[in-house]
Amino acid sequence: PFLYYGDEIGMGEVEIDPGRRLDPAPRGRDGCRTPMQWTAGPGAGFTADGARPWLPLGDARARNVADQRDDPGSVLHLVRDLIGLRNGSSDLRGGAYETLPAPEDVWTYRRGDGTVVALNLCGRESSVDGLDGRVTIGTDRDRDGNRVGGAARLRPWEGVVVETGSSAAT
């Protein structure tokens, strides 16, 4: 797994005026290489107010590190918690990978002996059968710690990490 710069706060791609594009690649990658949005203020905490960075800033009022640091439901907290889960799980660090049966638009896989990840990649609710365990982390954090018995209902665009081993009962 890897993160690109800005993924940890959910930064989106920025529309770049063709006259400001710097990447020589035919389609250009500049929109995903814009400055990090550290704060909501002028310059986004990346540069001084009034300075013109090499690429334009995105909407720092909508997404920035400072605002997400204090919000336990933020993308930043989710990413940090997922990294912590991976660091503490031998299944997620090096367990064997196995794709599991799932409905269309849902990606479900097992890592190691006791961890299943189910990702709903569409805008409608779905359900994954055959899961029994405890949600360790969900993209909707209200799911954390919930039991899953037989099937996991996934909201639109939701993902869950389910611990299915014997420690899932605790």
Side-chain angles (χ1 to χ4, degrees):
F2 57 89
L3 294 170
Y4 286 110
Y5 187 77
D7 284 350
E8 65 273 38
I9 62 168
M11 273 178 52
E13 191 162 322
V14 175
E15 186 68 32
I16 307 292
D17 182 294
R20 286 199 66 192
R21 290 187 186 145
L22 301 173
D23 188 357
R27 292 184 52 213
R29 299 166 288 182
D30 289 338
C32 63
R33 294 176 162 178
T34 58
M36 183 60 131
Q37 298 163 180
W38 294 101
T39 68
F46 178 83
T47 191
D49 185 15
R52 182 178 174 182
W54 76 97
L55 290 170
L57 295 162
D59 185 356
R61 289 181 311 274
R63 299 223 181 248
N64 66 74
V65 174
D67 289 346
Q68 290 191 26
R69 276 191 182 129
D70 297 326
D71 178 3
S74 71
V75 175
L76 180 62
H77 276 262
L78 174 63
V79 169
R80 285 179 173 171
D81 291 347
L82 287 168
I83 290 169
L85 177 64
R86 182 179 187 271
N87 288 342
S89 168
S90 58
D91 279 350
L92 294 175
R93 282 190 324 275
Y97 172 91
E98 175 189 4
T99 301
L100 299 175
E104 184 178 355
D105 296 324
V106 175
W107 178 24
T108 304
Y109 60 93
R110 177 181 315 281
R111 285 293 308 268
D113 295 326
T115 304
V116 172
V117 177
L119 305 165
N120 185 357
L121 305 174
C122 71
R124 66 182 178 285
E125 190 174 288
S126 194
S127 184
V128 177
D129 293 329
L131 283 181
D132 188 26
R134 181 181 55 85
V135 175
T136 309
I137 293 181
T139 54
D140 289 331
R141 301 309 297 270
D142 62 330
R143 300 284 301 265
D144 293 6
N146 290 353
R147 294 277 311 147
V148 175
R153 183 183 58 77
L154 296 173
R155 300 170 191 140
W157 308 109
E158 181 181 26
V160 292
V161 179
V162 178
E163 191 174 328
T164 62
S166 60
S167 59
T170 60

